[in-house]
Amino acid sequence: MKYILIVLFVLSVFSCTSVKKYNEQRLSMIPPEKLREDIDFTYRKLQEMHPNLNWYISKKDLDSKFDSLKTTINKSLTPTQFYFKLQPVITKIREGHLSLRIPSKRFSRKEIKALKNKKGLFGRFEYYVEGDHLYFIENKDSIQNIQPGTELLSINDVPVSGYLKKYRDLITSDGYNSTFFPHYLKDVFFNFFVAEKGIMDSAKIETLYKDKRQTLTLKRETKDKKDLEKDKAEKKRSPEKKLNDYVASTSSYNRNFKFLDKDSTIAYMKIKSFSRTFSNKFYKQSFAKIKDAESSYLIIDIRENYGGSLYEINQLYSYLAPEPFVLIKPAQLASSSTPLKTNYFRTASPLEFILKTAAYPGYFIYQTLNIRKGKDGTAYYKMKENKLTKPKLNAFRGKVYVLINGGSFSASSIISSKLKFDRRVTLVGEETGGANDGTVAGFYSYQKLPNSKIDLPIGLLLVQPNITFENTQKGVVPDVEIKESMQDIIDKKDTQLDWVKSDIQKLKDSKIWD
């Protein structure tokens, strides 16, 4: 026991020292020549590891972007200031997964504990982005009586429109679709803001509602006993929470299943993230209920689903496929060596380093066995999802609708693309934020820029659905396009789901699918 306590003490001291050192480095000024070295390092690593770097931009144009950036670096900058210079160039590659990690302040355990005992400042609202405007659309706690539909004009006298323009340059979709930006920007706006400005205990804001301007002060409140008890209760993992993958931070489930009508003919499945957690059990139970109820219609809602596990979407597809299928094509690599450049020991504590060292031979053999060369010399990485999969015995045979929007990204786009190509479903909503023809993700090589110490995760796999490519350089286009307005959201009017219900009723009336 004595030795365990000594190890824990050493790890605690190491952690505190690491946080302090990181925060000091984050505020340091880096000479321009060192920053230009980081730019060269970034481009060199991208060329070395990214499997399809010039998919959306030519090498000549990308060379020019990086060269032009270097000419603008003529003074010392902090890592955060440098991030706001380099990241907009990275976005020109138009790969939604490819992004520098913004160098945010790190917190000690004591600071984290203190923050957990306080309520959020901006995080207690839901937002909507339209152009250069940011709106409040939900205020569950009635903070300052801010009404849904209120525009946030400024924060501490700085116009929000300027922040929106600045932060929009930091994100990109896959390819040239534009639907991803408003969905993702509303979720990450305050991540960027806090990384840039720091955590505040209060903020002066100016709002506009029904032509009336108002200046308010938001304050970070301390949680009372009731709030703390609620936090504690939300962390408890009941069987229902496990099955539906409950997320305590958002007080919501990643998965939900229900029937939308009394006779159970319409099944509805909402999937907010393909997290894989307890997905086997969820789909097994849900499709068993559908079979027992003899449902004729299934609605799968993957709006605002930023993706996740290929394993899970392959699993879901197996409950929808009428015959054996291959979900994705073999995943292309930049070279046969890149799977071994994943920074296996990254962020390992001293104890974890020892354990990982012992496990490394197995990891090396596993990675090596999954690499193969094509006839043209191209390297590929083998995965279960690019092999033939049989449909489940209780696979659904009825009419399927899938709801998509600009927040449907990565794995959500891959399964949508495959389902549309196989003509298995009717897609309803708006163009996905992820590309129709695939994306670069899978697993990553985590590079650290040598001088600014900014992290650069580089996806190593070109993951593409097993379809005939259209080369549109856009997202998955729905069969039925229906756009949702801010007022629809405020009024809790789901126009996309309502269209599906109406279409089902027409089919019922004509007895096509009953």
Side-chain angles (χ1 to χ4, degrees):
M1 183 64 181
K2 179 177 72 173
Y3 297 109
I4 293 175
L5 291 174
I6 291 172
V7 170
L8 290 174
F9 174 75
V10 171
L11 292 177
S12 176
V13 172
F14 177 83
S15 175
C16 292
T17 303
S18 177
V19 168
K20 182 180 179 181
K21 185 178 179 181
Y22 170 86
N23 287 332
E24 288 175 351
Q25 194 279 329
R26 176 178 170 269
L27 298 175
S28 64
M29 300 299 290
I30 303 167
E33 64 273 13
K34 295 295 183 181
L35 296 175
R36 288 192 287 269
E37 285 180 9
D38 277 7
I39 294 171
D40 287 336
F41 174 88
T42 298
Y43 196 21
R44 186 170 65 253
K45 289 299 180 181
L46 287 171
Q47 291 173 310
E48 175 188 336
M49 297 182 183
H50 195 285
N52 200 4
L53 189 60
N54 303 117
W55 194 352
Y56 300 111
I57 184 171
S58 69
K59 185 179 184 303
K60 180 181 177 182
D61 287 346
L62 192 55
D63 287 347
S64 177
K65 297 289 183 187
F66 276 95
D67 289 340
S68 295
L69 173 62
K70 286 197 291 185
T71 64
T72 69
I73 304 297
N74 48 31
K75 65 178 182 179
S76 297
L77 301 171
T78 67
T80 301
Q81 290 170 334
F82 179 55
Y83 167 87
F84 280 97
K85 288 271 193 178
L86 179 53
Q87 178 57 25
V89 175
I90 300 278
T91 63
K92 302 305 180 188
I93 299 168
R94 296 187 179 275
E95 288 284 354
H97 292 85
L98 182 60
S99 178
L100 295 165
R101 295 274 176 85
I102 188 167
S104 304
K105 178 186 175 181
R106 290 180 185 171
F107 297 91
S108 66
R109 291 179 181 178
K110 184 177 180 181
E111 290 172 320
I112 291 171
K113 185 177 180 181
L115 284 171
K116 284 183 177 179
N117 290 329
K118 291 186 176 183
K119 298 180 181 180
L121 189 64
F122 294 104
R124 296 162 69 191
F125 303 92
E126 295 294 330
Y127 300 93
Y128 183 90
V129 169
E130 186 172 25
D132 294 330
H133 304 274
L134 181 67
Y135 300 90
F136 297 94
I137 59 168
E138 190 171 5
N139 181 8
K140 290 181 180 178
D141 296 337
S142 299
I143 301 166
Q144 294 281 23
N145 199 33
I146 296 172
Q147 297 299 307
T150 299
E151 182 177 0
L152 178 58
L153 297 176
S154 68
I155 304 172
N156 292 333
D157 299 318
V158 179
V160 167
S161 59
Y163 287 122
L164 284 167
K165 291 174 184 176
K166 183 177 183 180
Y167 298 158
R168 191 180 288 112
D169 286 342
L170 304 176
I171 63 177
T172 182
S173 60
D174 283 342
Y176 287 89
N177 77 68
S178 58
T179 58
F180 182 65
F181 292 90
H183 291 274
Y184 191 58
L185 193 52
K186 71 177 172 57
D187 290 338
V188 299
F189 178 90
F190 285 103
N191 293 351
F192 289 131
F193 181 83
V194 170
E196 185 180 9
K197 301 296 181 181
I199 290 181
M200 303 173 178
D201 286 326
S202 66
K204 184 178 77 170
I205 63 171
E206 185 182 10
T207 64
L208 177 65
Y209 181 68
K210 293 184 176 179
D211 298 324
K212 181 182 177 182
R213 288 176 179 259
Q214 193 171 9
T215 299
L216 304 168
T217 300
L218 299 181
K219 294 183 178 180
R220 190 182 298 276
E221 304 167 13
T222 300
K223 292 180 180 178
D224 57 25
K225 185 178 179 180
K226 186 177 179 181
D227 293 320
L228 295 173
E229 288 176 350
K230 182 181 176 183
D231 289 346
K232 189 176 180 180
E234 291 207 336
K235 290 179 181 178
K236 292 181 179 179
R237 302 287 284 173
S238 66
E240 180 189 11
K241 285 184 176 181
K242 289 180 180 179
L243 179 66
N244 296 315
D245 193 16
Y246 186 75
V247 182
S249 60
T250 59
S251 301
S252 64
Y253 293 98
N254 267 336
R255 304 185 198 92
N256 279 292
F257 174 82
K258 62 183 177 181
F259 294 104
L260 297 184
D261 53 350
K262 291 181 180 179
D263 56 2
S264 301
T265 60
I266 307 173
Y268 173 83
M269 199 176 285
K270 172 67 176 176
I271 307 168
K272 294 177 69 176
S273 172
F274 291 114
S275 65
R276 185 170 177 172
T277 307
F278 290 97
S279 60
N280 285 354
K281 191 172 182 180
F282 174 81
Y283 292 119
K284 184 177 181 180
Q285 289 190 7
S286 298
F287 281 96
K289 291 176 183 177
I290 291 171
K291 185 176 181 180
D292 290 343
E294 298 182 348
S295 304
S296 300
Y297 309 95
L298 171 61
I299 304 169
I300 301 174
D301 188 346
I302 53 174
R303 293 172 294 181
E304 307 299 326
N305 183 326
Y306 291 135
S309 166
L310 285 174
Y311 173 89
E312 182 173 339
I313 62 171
N314 193 68
Q315 186 181 37
L316 173 56
Y317 204 98
S318 69
Y319 283 101
L320 304 173
E323 56 190 27
F325 67 96
V326 176
L327 181 71
I328 62 172
K329 294 181 180 293
Q332 185 176 321
L333 297 160
S335 73
S336 56
S337 64
T338 51
L340 300 174
K341 298 178 180 179
T342 56
N343 306 90
Y344 178 76
F345 294 101
R346 183 182 69 92
T347 70
S349 67
L351 181 60
E352 290 171 336
F353 185 87
I354 294 170
L355 296 174
K356 282 192 166 189
T357 299
Y360 185 76
Y363 165 81
F364 180 87
I365 292 170
Y366 176 82
Q367 291 291 74
T368 303
L369 289 176
N370 283 319
I371 301 166
R372 69 174 180 83
K373 280 283 188 75
K375 292 180 180 179
D376 59 353
T378 302
Y380 295 93
Y381 190 83
K382 294 187 294 184
M383 292 187 288
K384 182 180 183 295
E385 293 76 28
N386 62 248
K387 298 176 182 177
L388 194 69
T389 301
K390 293 181 180 179
K392 299 293 185 183
L393 291 176
N394 60 339
F396 183 68
R397 300 290 185 238
K399 174 73 173 173
V400 183
Y401 298 85
V402 176
L403 298 174
I404 56 174
N405 66 7
S408 304
F409 184 72
S410 191
S412 294
S413 296
I414 288 171
I415 192 170
S416 298
S417 176
K418 176 64 174 168
L419 286 166
K420 182 178 181 180
F421 178 78
D422 290 344
R423 299 182 180 179
R424 181 64 188 94
V425 304
T426 299
L427 295 176
V428 179
E430 67 176 356
E431 180 185 349
T432 63
N436 182 81
D437 292 353
T439 190
V440 175
F443 49 81
Y444 292 78
S445 176
Y446 292 88
Q447 299 296 315
K448 186 181 290 292
L449 277 56
N451 300 301
S452 61
K453 306 302 180 185
I454 298 175
D455 288 325
L456 172 62
I458 303 174
L460 301 181
L461 302 181
L462 174 58
V463 182
Q464 296 182 285
N466 187 31
I467 64 171
T468 301
F469 298 132
E470 299 177 3
N471 298 314
T472 62
Q473 299 191 336
K474 296 185 69 177
V476 185
V477 177
D479 300 300
V480 180
E481 184 177 16
I482 300 173
K483 294 185 178 180
E484 189 177 47
S485 69
M486 181 177 70
Q487 195 59 48
D488 289 335
I489 298 172
I490 292 172
D491 295 339
K492 301 190 184 306
K493 181 181 178 183
D494 194 333
T495 55
Q496 295 158 344
L497 180 58
D498 287 345
W499 183 92
V500 173
K501 289 179 180 178
S502 176
D503 194 60
I504 289 174
Q505 189 58 53
K506 291 177 183 176
L507 294 174
K508 281 185 175 184
D509 292 342
S510 63
K511 300 187 183 300
I512 292 177
W513 282 90
D514 284 338

